[in-house]
Amino acid sequence: MKQVLKTAFAIFFFIPFLSFARLSVEGLKCESKTNPIAIEMREPVFSWRILSDARGTLQESYQMRVSTAPFNDTNIKNLVWDSGRKKSGQSMFVHYGGTPLKAAKKYFWQTRVWDNKGNVSEWSAQAFFGTGLQAADWQARWINAGFMEDTVTRPSPIFRKHFTIGKKIQSAIAYISARGLYEAAINGKRVGDGFLTPGWTSYKNRIPYQAYDVAELLNKNNNSIGVELGSGWYRGYLAFEGQKNLYGKELALIFQLMISYTDGTSETIVSDSSWKSSVGGVVSSEIYNGEAYDARLEKSGWKEANYDDAGWSGVQASDMPKDNLVATENEMIKKHETFAPLHIITTPKGEKVIDFGQNLVGWVQIKVKERSGDKILISHAEVLDKSGNFYVDNLRAAKEQNTYTLKGGMEETFEPHFTFQGFRYIKVEGFPGELKPENFMAVALYSDMKPTGVFSCSNPLLNQLQHNIQWGQKGNFLDVPTDCPQRDERLGWTGDAQAFSRTATFNTDSYNFYSKWLKDLALDQQPDGRVPFVVPNALRPTSGGSAGWADAATIIPWNVYLAYGDTGILRRQYPSMKAWIGFMQQNSTNYLWNKGFHFGDWLFYSPADDNGGRAAVTDKYMIAQAFYAYSTQLTLNAARILGKKEDTEQLVDLLQHIKDAFLKEYVTPNGRMASNTQTAYVLALQFDLLPESIRMQAAQRLVDNIREYKDHITTGFLGTPYICHVLSRFGFTDVAYTLLLQDTYPSWLYPVKMGATTIWERWDGQKPDSTFQVPSMNSFNHYAYGAIGDWMYRVMAGIDTEEDGPGYQKIKIMPHPGGKLTYANVDLMTNYGPLSAHWKTDSGKFTLYVEIPANTTAHIYLPAADGDQVFESDRPVSDSKEIKYIGKEGAYAQYAVGSGKYSFIVAAIK
């Protein structure tokens, strides 16, 4: 492994000698998506990346054009917009400025750029986008099953429509959604590669639909559409009180296929009263409980064109609203990694168990051949108990079981349709004969966000921690940011989401994911401004307003803005941000928010035997006041960026009053906090609640507290994301490394050493003696504590974005070597292109390789006592006209650079 990393490091240092041939444009996106088939926006935004082999390349101008037909050298007559040459450096989120776009229409676009060196690129390869449907464009009707449904097991209804085509097809787009979940097929072939569609939103306010290009699935003559529905989040069990039918009792389908023919005519096939309905092999399917499938009940060939559906029931067509249908804006849930069995185990209890080696979210495919009527039961678990037996107590009421009843005869392959499980282990009952690895395969499911960040370092435990952080995100990013993927919960807890949001933006392109979810947050926000505990809100309307949870309304929009540079997300969420500030104002007395329910510093360190009062309890109202100030600060930031002068003045005044109230209530004149805990000092320092004159004292008290706990962390969900940042900010990076590298409870590396492959909900989910924490709340896939990934990227490796140049338009690279690490590497695909920072230390010499994408600038901070120690590409840095010395900042020498690849060497590290 060490040799592989050394080789990778050597390759990266060779990269500066490679270069692009010329100025060019790539990575075209519309509404932050590559070639979307249907977008909701009628005035979309466009983005692109610039490639150049020259250092210091900036875009000076651009030209965009949009057409209703593909571009070629002789035909640009169908233009709906030509920007002309526009003098601007903007290459992200450029707004459309042409004639109004039409619904259900495909458009083509491309761009070219001029740089600051007098070069002009060729026109980019053309991209496309399609516009979606508005309420008036839907000719389809919602349809329900036309038979009396079994309301106990609730089998999945199936729908079918036969139609003929007699002309040559030019294009065919299918628009599909459901009240519930759906899987669709045309002529027996699956439509799309998304699962658990249409996903989960605030269904009472909006239901997403998906659009698919299905031209290649259609036959010239006879055709059939087949769709199966599942209960899903719409009417399945949700939350932890046996609640079901939250959004409705009946499943429904809406389907519209719009076909254009080469002769200029068109045809639309819609869901209406002409469709047929029945039931098939899915006997029951619930997200929490799993799926029961009886292959004997399959209607063989029911998705094919020549199937005889004469015995099927009709359907009920209804006029349920269509004005709440919206085009999908985020990435769909898809299949990703697969895992073969790592071990096949017989437990002390005699159970047949398979270990896939990775705690994941998805399901298991099985292959089997046996007699008709035989049943196979697959149970799922994250861990084995101390004795090595299958452990499911922490699932609470969720069964997490799939049952397959065999048709018999030939080999059969099974996997679920409308459920998912969180597991590393499965228990197999009823399988005929010996369990063999080739009969089982685990499949990971998660939202199809593109990976953007890669982190590695010389410490293998930290590399495993990063692996666990990423897999915690994968397993909990299934259309919404859930808190756990296995028990009877799986809800979009706002506190977890905000704590992890900045880390998430490093690991994956999370823009669309959060943009969609934040819209649901605003929709489910109560009229008084209260933000729910979970989004979509599956709890009571009054279940909201907790500090650190509801602040997702302000923290996540700000973090997404910083990571991607789009003011649009601030503009869209600003009313929600203000409403949340208003709720806190209304529930405060003299600017002090000290009432209401709060979760506090959830799951902070609390020893099993706390007779000595060592639990790190932080006053919940102190925490509330701290987040009151922080959310006000972030809303003030947004108001300034959006040019809201009156709001800005009011928020400046409000913020000062909130800070004054905090100091008066919770801080002594000498800077001691009312709660002498790590979280208290961390929040006060992170949110700038203390006068500058006593901040260093408070930082020292934080360090003293850490030393008191023998270099262990004691923070919970709200203090953990910030503790290492605060330590580094006040000059205690060595203490931050000590915390990070601690490997006994409580610490980040303790679960790693216990064999974890994801982040745990609790610091001690599994105790050193291999017993477990209380099963009522003990998830082994719960990403909140993975928020340390943000510090590993931004401080350890040193990649960050400046607030006045968000989205990595203005880059800050400031590595913090330490912890006996000999190297740390980060590669991040930003909206502007690849950004890298790789540092290593060797015999007192510090080396830093960086890659800065075109159309950006960067400030590089090198740990050097003076400029004479710094070299770039084996030359004194002072010899380079492309590198400007800015000055000293503490122990760092600061340099300004433009785009390009640089290899710095500091002869003697400070």
Side-chain angles (χ1 to χ4, degrees):
M1 180 64 180
K2 290 182 179 178
Q3 184 58 44
V4 171
L5 292 173
K6 287 181 180 178
T7 303
F9 195 84
I11 290 172
F12 273 111
F13 269 83
F14 181 72
I15 287 178
F17 298 100
L18 305 176
S19 63
F20 299 110
R22 58 182 180 179
L23 182 70
S24 60
V25 180
E26 67 168 19
L28 276 64
K29 289 187 177 182
C30 174
E31 289 295 302
S32 295
K33 293 182 281 290
T34 302
N35 296 332
I37 297 176
I39 62 169
E40 188 72 15
M41 301 293 291
R42 289 296 183 263
E43 293 182 358
V45 294
F46 303 90
S47 302
W48 56 85
R49 294 196 301 267
I50 299 169
L51 301 181
S52 172
D53 61 347
R55 283 182 172 181
T57 297
L58 294 171
Q59 177 182 293
E60 186 273 336
S61 304
Y62 71 84
Q63 182 178 7
M64 269 192 63
R65 58 189 188 187
V66 180
S67 173
T68 57
F71 297 102
N72 57 52
D73 293 335
T74 60
N75 178 21
I76 55 171
K77 296 185 300 183
N78 299 288
L79 289 178
V80 294
W81 183 41
D82 186 337
S83 68
R85 180 173 176 176
K86 186 174 180 63
K87 188 175 179 59
S88 169
Q90 185 178 1
S91 59
M92 297 292 124
F93 306 106
V94 176
H95 284 265
Y96 174 76
T99 59
L101 301 173
K102 298 179 180 179
K105 185 76 175 176
K106 187 174 184 178
Y107 293 89
F108 300 85
W109 71 283
Q110 57 184 178
T111 187
R112 61 176 175 173
V113 301
W114 289 259
D115 69 13
N116 57 329
K117 302 175 186 299
N119 302 308
V120 60
S121 73
E122 299 289 335
W123 282 103
S124 68
Q126 57 189 316
F128 69 83
F129 66 93
T131 50
L133 305 178
Q134 295 183 335
D137 303 315
W138 283 97
Q139 301 175 42
R141 301 180 69 188
W142 286 100
I143 57 173
N144 306 92
F147 52 84
M148 185 66 70
E149 186 179 4
D150 173 0
T151 58
V152 178
T153 61
R154 303 205 285 192
S156 289
I158 56 178
F159 297 85
R160 175 182 160 76
K161 167 72 175 179
H162 178 269
F163 63 99
T164 60
I165 292 176
K167 298 179 181 180
K168 188 175 180 180
I169 295 172
Q170 181 176 9
S171 67
I173 305 295
Y175 304 89
I176 314 174
S177 190
R179 293 174 182 264
L181 303 179
Y182 74 84
E183 287 189 0
I186 292 178
N187 297 322
K189 298 176 183 177
R190 198 178 199 280
V191 174
D193 56 357
F195 290 84
L196 304 176
T197 47
W200 188 15
T201 54
S202 175
Y203 289 141
K204 294 177 181 178
N205 295 290
R206 61 186 195 139
I207 299 176
Y209 65 86
Q210 285 77 44
Y212 306 93
D213 185 341
V214 297
E216 294 186 357
L217 303 183
L218 295 171
N219 301 324
K220 186 175 181 181
N221 296 310
N222 292 322
N223 292 271
S224 70
I225 303 163
V227 185
E228 189 164 18
L229 302 187
S231 294
W233 298 281
Y234 186 79
R235 71 169 188 183
Y237 289 98
L238 273 181
F240 20 73
E241 298 176 351
Q243 172 184 249
K244 62 180 180 180
N245 302 325
L246 178 63
Y247 300 102
K249 293 182 179 180
E250 293 186 342
L251 304 182
L253 166 70
I254 192 165
F255 182 102
Q256 184 158 312
L257 172 59
M258 302 180 72
I259 306 171
S260 297
Y261 299 112
T262 55
D263 66 359
T265 61
S266 62
E267 183 178 7
T268 302
I269 310 297
V270 301
S271 51
D272 58 20
S273 58
S274 67
W275 285 51
K276 297 290 191 72
S277 64
S278 187
V279 292
V282 180
V283 176
S284 66
S285 191
E286 295 280 352
I287 287 177
Y288 293 168
N289 295 332
E291 188 164 296
Y293 191 90
D294 191 337
R296 298 170 302 176
L297 302 179
E298 290 177 347
K299 290 180 167 51
S300 181
W302 69 274
K303 301 172 186 176
E304 303 287 348
N306 57 0
Y307 178 80
D308 183 3
D309 58 14
W312 286 35
S313 302
V315 298
Q316 296 179 345
S318 71
D319 293 318
M320 288 187 289
K322 290 175 277 191
D323 58 359
N324 63 345
L325 286 166
V326 296
T328 296
E329 63 182 290
N330 58 312
E331 294 79 8
M332 288 188 284
I333 297 170
K334 294 185 180 181
K335 290 181 176 179
H336 293 277
E337 297 90 343
T338 59
F339 296 84
L342 185 64
H343 302 290
I344 297 179
I345 305 165
T346 300
T347 71
K349 289 184 177 180
E351 305 154 318
K352 299 296 183 182
V353 171
I354 296 176
D355 175 10
F356 289 99
Q358 172 63 50
N359 195 10
L360 64 111
V361 176
W363 56 53
V364 174
Q365 295 176 345
I366 68 170
K367 295 180 180 180
V368 63
K369 180 179 180 181
E370 201 46 50
R371 298 166 301 182
S372 177
D374 282 355
K375 288 187 178 181
I376 299 171
L377 177 63
I378 307 292
S379 303
H380 302 76
E382 295 183 288
V383 291
L384 303 180
D385 68 15
K386 183 176 182 179
S387 301
N389 292 308
F390 200 68
Y391 181 79
V392 294
D393 291 356
N394 67 325
L395 301 182
R396 301 194 304 217
K399 293 180 180 179
E400 274 220 313
Q401 293 178 323
N402 298 327
T403 304
Y404 301 108
T405 303
L406 277 59
K407 182 186 298 182
M410 63 183 67
E411 183 177 75
E412 301 173 70
T413 300
F414 297 103
E415 69 177 12
H417 299 76
F418 304 115
T419 187
F420 61 89
Q421 283 88 34
F423 66 99
R424 171 174 171 170
Y425 302 90
I426 62 169
K427 181 174 67 174
V428 185
E429 299 174 82
F431 192 88
E434 179 185 2
L435 299 185
K436 296 181 179 179
E438 58 266 28
N439 294 120
F440 300 89
M441 181 174 69
V443 181
L445 292 175
Y446 50 87
S447 290
D448 192 35
M449 298 176 292
K450 301 305 179 188
T452 51
V454 178
F455 170 91
S456 64
C457 70
S458 58
N459 187 316
L461 291 178
L462 292 183
N463 291 334
Q464 182 64 42
L465 175 62
Q466 170 65 5
H467 170 96
N468 295 1
I469 292 169
Q470 290 178 319
W471 275 93
Q473 180 176 345
K474 290 177 180 180
N476 284 288
F477 275 40
L478 276 82
D479 209 59
V480 302
T482 62
D483 64 319
C484 56
Q486 71 297 98
R487 66 189 182 213
D488 57 342
E489 199 162 341
R490 314 185 195 192
L491 305 174
W493 283 93
T494 47
D496 307 54
Q498 68 83 7
F500 189 74
S501 57
R502 191 69 190 271
T503 301
T505 64
F506 282 107
N507 291 331
T508 64
D509 184 351
S510 305
Y511 177 86
N512 292 323
F513 180 87
Y514 279 127
S515 177
K516 170 257 186 184
W517 186 75
L518 286 170
K519 289 178 182 177
D520 285 316
L521 183 149
L523 289 168
D524 278 348
Q525 197 168 0
Q526 294 299 303
D528 63 358
R530 183 193 316 260
V531 176
F533 299 151
V534 299
V535 173
N537 189 10
L539 306 178
R540 299 180 182 91
T542 55
S543 296
S546 174
W549 270 249
D551 298 279
T554 58
I555 294 172
I556 298 180
W558 182 251
N559 281 344
V560 173
Y561 165 73
L562 289 179
Y564 303 106
D566 180 28
T567 57
I569 199 159
L570 296 181
R571 187 173 295 107
R572 291 193 296 273
Q573 297 302 132
Y574 187 75
S576 168
M577 298 169 77
K578 272 197 68 177
W580 170 235
I581 301 301
F583 175 87
M584 291 185 282
Q585 283 182 280
Q586 290 299 315
N587 286 276
S588 302
T589 302
N590 295 325
Y591 303 100
L592 190 66
W593 186 26
N594 59 357
K595 63 180 179 180
F597 171 81
H598 300 282
F599 289 107
D601 193 28
W602 192 248
L603 298 184
F604 58 87
Y605 169 72
S606 182
D609 180 6
D610 193 31
N611 293 330
R614 286 183 55 79
V617 182
T618 309
D619 186 295
K620 292 182 179 181
Y621 293 136
M622 174 192 285
I623 293 172
Q625 190 72 7
F627 276 92
Y628 185 13
Y630 188 44
S631 277
T632 302
Q633 178 68 70
L634 297 183
T635 306
L636 168 60
N637 294 350
R640 285 172 170 158
I641 290 165
L642 298 174
K644 297 181 179 293
K645 185 177 180 181
E646 184 177 347
D647 283 1
T648 296
E649 294 172 353
Q650 293 174 355
L651 289 166
V652 166
D653 181 67
L654 174 62
L655 180 59
Q656 188 58 56
H657 283 298
I658 296 168
K659 289 185 176 183
D660 290 344
F662 181 89
L663 284 173
K664 182 179 180 181
E665 187 76 7
Y666 299 114
V667 186
T668 71
N670 291 326
R672 184 176 295 277
M673 307 294 296
S675 294
N676 186 35
T677 64
Q678 292 174 21
T679 290
Y681 289 107
V682 164
L683 295 183
L685 290 167
Q686 177 70 19
F687 299 160
D688 293 332
L689 302 179
L690 305 178
E692 290 191 21
S693 60
I694 63 172
R695 288 179 186 177
M696 200 63 215
Q697 298 175 41
Q700 184 60 57
R701 286 195 173 103
L702 170 62
V703 172
D704 293 343
N705 187 290
I706 292 169
R707 299 303 189 202
E708 180 185 346
Y709 283 95
K710 298 181 180 179
D711 295 330
H712 286 82
I713 192 170
T714 64
T715 54
F717 279 22
L718 298 184
T720 297
Y722 307 114
I723 187 167
C724 285
H725 284 290
V726 167
L727 289 168
S728 292
R729 175 182 170 186
F730 289 94
F732 296 106
T733 294
D734 59 330
V735 182
Y737 269 110
T738 299
L739 277 184
L740 177 60
L741 295 173
Q742 178 63 257
D743 61 7
T744 58
Y745 164 77
S747 69
W748 284 286
L749 294 186
Y750 167 72
V752 172
K753 294 197 75 173
M754 293 293 288
T757 60
T758 45
I759 299 296
W760 293 354
E761 180 176 21
R762 294 175 175 270
W763 291 120
D764 62 341
Q766 187 172 17
K767 300 178 182 180
D769 65 358
S770 293
T771 60
F772 298 123
Q773 260 284 3
V774 292
S776 60
M777 194 176 66
N778 194 22
S779 164
F780 292 94
N781 194 351
H782 207 104
Y783 57 72
Y785 287 140
I788 185 60
D790 175 36
W791 184 86
M792 293 162 67
Y793 275 100
R794 288 205 284 148
V795 181
M796 180 194 294
I799 282 182
D800 204 354
T801 184
E802 302 282 6
E803 289 194 7
D804 64 344
Y808 303 94
Q809 182 186 33
K810 294 182 180 179
I811 297 162
K812 178 182 180 181
I813 296 185
M814 189 176 187
H816 286 70
K820 297 182 180 179
L821 297 182
T822 57
Y823 73 86
N825 300 337
V826 162
D827 300 288
L828 180 66
M829 179 55 76
T830 72
N831 277 345
Y832 289 94
L835 168 62
S836 297
H838 298 183
W839 64 257
K840 68 175 181 179
T841 59
D842 183 14
S843 302
K845 182 174 68 174
F846 177 83
T847 307
L848 175 67
Y849 163 74
V850 298
E851 179 177 2
I852 308 300
N855 208 26
T856 70
T857 58
H859 281 178
I860 312 292
Y861 294 78
L862 298 170
D866 58 66
D868 292 340
Q869 297 175 308
V870 180
F871 298 82
E872 197 280 317
S873 297
D874 297 324
R875 296 180 302 167
V877 72
S878 57
D879 289 352
S880 175
K881 297 179 181 179
E882 300 154 334
I883 303 172
K884 181 181 178 182
Y885 178 66
I886 302 298
K888 291 286 291 179
E889 184 173 315
Y892 287 85
Q894 181 183 1
Y895 297 88
V897 302
S899 64
K901 300 169 184 177
Y902 303 83
S903 180
F904 294 98
I905 296 175
V906 180
I909 187 170
K910 176 70 175 177

